[in-house]
Amino acid sequence: MKLKASYAPHIRYSENAQTLMDDTVIVLAVLYVMAFFYYGVVALHAGLVSILTCYLADCICTKLRGQKINFRDHSAIVTGMILPLLMPAGIHMVAIISAGLFAIVIAKQVFGGVGQNIFNPAAAGFAFTALCFPGQMFSYPMPFDRLPILTETASKLVRGPAYALKFGSIPTNDLVDMLLGNFAGPMGATNILVILACLLFLIFRKTVRWQLPVSFLGTAALYAFFFPRISLSPLQSVAYELMSGMVLFVGVFVITDPVTSPKRDSSKLLYGIVAGLMAMLFRQYGGFEDSSIFAVLLMNAFAPLIDLISEYIHKAVRKGGRAV
Amino acid sequence: MKLKRVRRYRYATRYIRPILGNNVVLSAGLALPFVIGASTSMNNALALTIAIGIVNIPTMIFASLLGKKIPQWLRLPCYVLLASALVVVSRFAVSWIAPNIFDSLGIYLTLLAVNTILLVRGKQVIPQYNFYRAALDGVVTTVSFGIVMFVVSLCRELVGNNTLWGDAINFPIKLPGALLPAFGFILVGLLAAWAKFFRRLVIRYNLRKDNPPRTAAKLPEGEVE
């Protein structure tokens, strides 16, 4: 009998950081296929540039910190894939590269690398680029406009439905078109049905716990139901609010980051509820048409506190249970 | 462990250490609002450096001469009172150098009356110094503040506005977000990390010179590594 000496734990879970990231890469690749369908090669080019920027920056910074590069860590690839999907197709490469560098160098590596960052790198990178290039980041080409890769885009840029909602107007987009992703918006955030399917896949694979996205999107939906910004039925308001901008994408891919979100299920519920409320308040009263990313960044700072509060509550409940 | 070189280095640099090694902004985190909020152009950096010199140096001299004679609880209010009067003087100096600067500085010039370099060093350190040491300390802390201000302002103006001293420069990258205070915070944090890295490098160099790693060839007979 061959005995192999190893350290505890001896019962290994099939899931590890690499499988979590690989699952996310798979679903993001599906979104890139949809982005390619609507916007052409420019979507793939943006994704490739972003992934290369993020991965190279990650490797260089890891070496500068005197550590060995872990080639099985795909977190930088996930960040690189998420960033262009939050941006308009055909955006200048400077914006994509600066977002990637900020996300990896400032939001991730400065805090100690993978697993140590406080803020979601993709959210931080998008926030930085939104502050630097506000005009470019929220002007979108129409789907099926074939955009040039390296030259400046000459196609007509329009505002998304979130812009109309911000000023209390009813978006002119058909709800069916919005479900299918056939409207102007961020490259990856418009494919509503595909994003929902991705969410189901991630929950089925246990990459993501359902408490976080469901509480986030549920709170956002409730807010839109009770405080509609447009003079339509509450259900139509919910549909427009969730399908416009990047609320759905943020709720599935950004807020569910395992490093920056709370660890306990009960904490995730509370975190998602507060984040959903903040996201809707930021969308309504913030400077940009969709500031839900900034709400996520703000909540990232409170994730450890929410975990601590949840731990106290659980201890109190356990003590009370034992006393009874 | 031998510390001769380290002690010699520390003694030789005792007066100028606040400039680079123990920079008052990067190591002690003093006067951060000016470095983060007002460092959006080189003109601002120059104006604030001159103003802080006009405010701090005489106040530190006053603190060294009369600091110990004033009760402890009254020292800071006296320094702030004198600094407030000197802020008025600095305002005229700044307006004489660059008439338009004063408007762009806004409240930052007035805040110099309660700048933390003066409050922290004036309370803890200066009363123990004599006149010359206090004046030197004032000059050295002003220079250290100025260096950080100029470096941060250079980066932010060049990258954020593509200008230098108000004149347009052909720079390939333009990131308007660099003019925001958040970018200033990040830049100061990165500079503080670099300052700490170089400080440790110098100390480690001196330590290594005094205590070279022992090799087998140098070990005395019978001793094993």
Side-chain angles (χ1 to χ4, degrees), chain A residues 20 23-25 27-28 31 78 82 85-86 120 188-189 191-203 207-218 242 246-258 261 292-293 296:
Chain A
L20 294 182
D23 287 341
T24 315
V25 165
V27 293
L28 287 171
L31 283 172
V78 169
I82 287 177
L85 292 175
L86 289 167
N120 187 305
N191 307 293
I192 307 297
L193 280 178
V194 177
I195 294 175
L196 288 172
C198 294
L199 174 63
L200 289 172
F201 173 79
L202 292 173
I203 291 174
T207 304
V208 154
R209 301 287 290 169
W210 65 266
Q211 286 87 352
L212 203 39
V214 167
S215 59
F216 178 81
L217 296 170
L242 290 185
M246 51 190 84
V247 169
L248 198 58
F249 188 93
V250 165
V252 174
F253 293 106
V254 180
I255 204 167
T256 52
D257 179 24
S261 56
S292 35
I293 282 278
V296 171

Side-chain angles (χ1 to χ4, degrees), chain A residues 50 53-55 57-58 61 79-80 83 87 93-111 117 119-133 293-294 297, chain B residues 159 175 177-187 190:
Chain A
S50 178
T53 306
C54 290
Y55 196 72
D58 199 43
C61 289
T79 305
L83 279 169
M87 299 184 190
M93 285 298 126
V94 170
I96 295 176
I97 292 170
S98 61
L101 287 175
F102 189 89
I104 297 299
V105 177
I106 303 294
K108 182 178 166 185
Q109 288 291 345
V110 156
F111 289 97
N117 46 293
F119 300 103
N120 187 305
F126 177 86
F128 176 71
T129 320
L131 291 170
C132 287
F133 311 104
I293 282 278
F294 295 92
L297 283 173
Chain B
V159 173
L175 296 173
L179 297 173
L180 295 172
F183 194 82
F185 263 113
I186 290 167
L187 208 51
L190 289 172

Side-chain angles (χ1 to χ4, degrees), chain A residues 13 23 50 63 71 73 100 118 130 145 149 166 220 233 271 275 284 289 305 307 321:
Chain A
Y13 205 43
D23 287 341
S50 178
K63 285 306 267 184
F71 292 105
D73 170 32
I118 305 172
D145 273 355
I149 295 175
K166 185 141 181 75
S233 71
Y271 182 81
Q284 192 160 354
E289 63 190 52
L305 180 65
D307 261 333

Side-chain angles (χ1 to χ4, degrees), chain B residues 65-89:
Chain B
L65 292 174
L66 297 173
K68 280 195 171 165
K69 296 185 173 73
I70 305 172
Q72 181 118 17
W73 58 272
L74 198 54
R75 276 181 205 167
L76 284 182
C78 289
Y79 301 159
V80 170
L81 209 60
L82 178 61
S84 307
L86 290 167
V87 163
V88 178
V89 173

Side-chain angles (χ1 to χ4, degrees), chain A residues 27-48 81-90 141-147 180-183 185-192 194-195 249:
Chain A
V27 293
L28 287 171
V30 171
L31 283 172
Y32 269 98
V33 169
M34 294 308 299
F36 169 72
F37 173 71
Y38 282 120
Y39 300 107
V41 179
V42 72
L44 299 180
H45 181 250
L48 197 63
M81 290 179 85
I82 287 177
L83 279 169
L85 292 175
L86 289 167
M87 299 184 190
M142 289 301 293
F144 302 111
D145 273 355
R146 285 300 177 250
L147 305 164
L180 297 173
N182 190 7
F183 67 102
M187 258 198 292
T190 53
N191 307 293
I192 307 297
V194 177
I195 294 175
F249 188 93

